[in-house]
Amino acid sequence: MRRVAPIILPLLASLGIALSACAPDPTPPVPATTAPSASAGAASSPAATPTPSPTPVALPTDCRSVLSPEVIAQFGSLPLNDPAYGTDVGVQPDGSLKCVWGYPGTDTGRLATTISRMDRGPALDLMNTLRNDQQYTCYTPSGGTRCEKSWIDDTYPVEAGRTLFWRQDVMIDTSYINLAPTGYTDSVIAHVFG
């Protein structure tokens, strides 16, 4: 996971500016155009130009397919989606994908990512809450919004953390404890969004 120095924005924080101000603006509506008049002197009527709907991003169905070979190599012999996790990993009934690297039953050395659909409003509400209540660092790379935080685990003296990235109604949510491969989230973003 990439570490980012906290951005100090005391003026914005004191004004309570929402994270939505940091998120990319939606495509502005296309203004109506005037259709040519059929006869001279006839009032022209506006005809709306359709706004193209963006093609939804396809959710991946394979955990390895969203990672570069360099990232996969960092996991070494750790299992992916061990059978002991049952149906709680892999493609879920709602189409989301949950990937868990690590041995079941271990308390450290585990990373879990869920890639799911999430509308803009709930996504930004979640990220605002994490930023405001739990001091996550949030910024806007790769055409989306990213929030992340790392800490020392309460039980073990190892690093734990969580990184969320939202773009085009897709949320990539990763939690880890003592397992943070370099370039992991960036690799997932690159493979999901092309």
Side-chain angles (χ1 to χ4, degrees):
M1 301 290 160
R2 189 176 116 180
R3 291 180 184 253
V4 177
I7 299 172
I8 301 174
L9 298 174
L11 179 59
L12 293 178
S14 67
L15 295 174
I17 301 299
L19 179 61
S20 60
C22 296
D25 292 331
T27 304
V30 177
T33 58
T34 304
S37 174
S39 62
S44 46
S45 59
T49 303
T51 302
S53 298
T55 303
V57 174
L59 294 180
T61 57
D62 177 65
C63 295
R64 291 182 184 274
S65 72
V66 297
L67 298 174
S68 68
E70 295 79 16
V71 172
I72 290 174
Q74 294 176 62
F75 286 111
S77 62
L78 281 177
L80 168 64
N81 295 344
D82 190 284
Y85 291 117
T87 59
D88 193 36
V89 293
V91 178
Q92 300 298 296
D94 63 359
S96 62
L97 178 65
K98 185 170 182 182
C99 309
V100 178
W101 293 88
Y103 292 101
T106 60
D107 294 331
T108 66
R110 188 176 54 251
L111 180 147
T113 297
T114 301
I115 304 169
S116 61
R117 298 225 177 270
M118 186 178 287
D119 291 335
R120 177 184 170 96
L124 295 182
D125 285 347
L126 170 61
M127 294 171 121
N128 276 323
T129 298
L130 292 173
R131 184 192 67 177
N132 296 333
D133 297 349
Q134 298 182 34
Q135 292 73 50
Y136 274 63
T137 298
C138 298
Y139 54 107
T140 55
S142 306
T145 301
R146 181 170 174 161
C147 291
E148 56 191 21
K149 180 180 176 181
S150 62
W151 58 87
I152 299 301
D153 184 70
D154 292 337
T155 306
Y156 303 98
V158 297
E159 183 180 84
R162 184 177 181 195
T163 300
L164 299 96
F165 179 85
W166 180 87
R167 176 174 153 189
Q168 294 175 262
D169 294 336
V170 174
M171 178 66 79
I172 300 167
D173 187 347
T174 300
S175 297
Y176 66 93
I177 180 166
N178 199 31
L179 181 62
T182 302
Y184 179 87
T185 299
D186 291 335
S187 182
V188 176
I189 291 168
H191 285 81
V192 169
F193 297 101

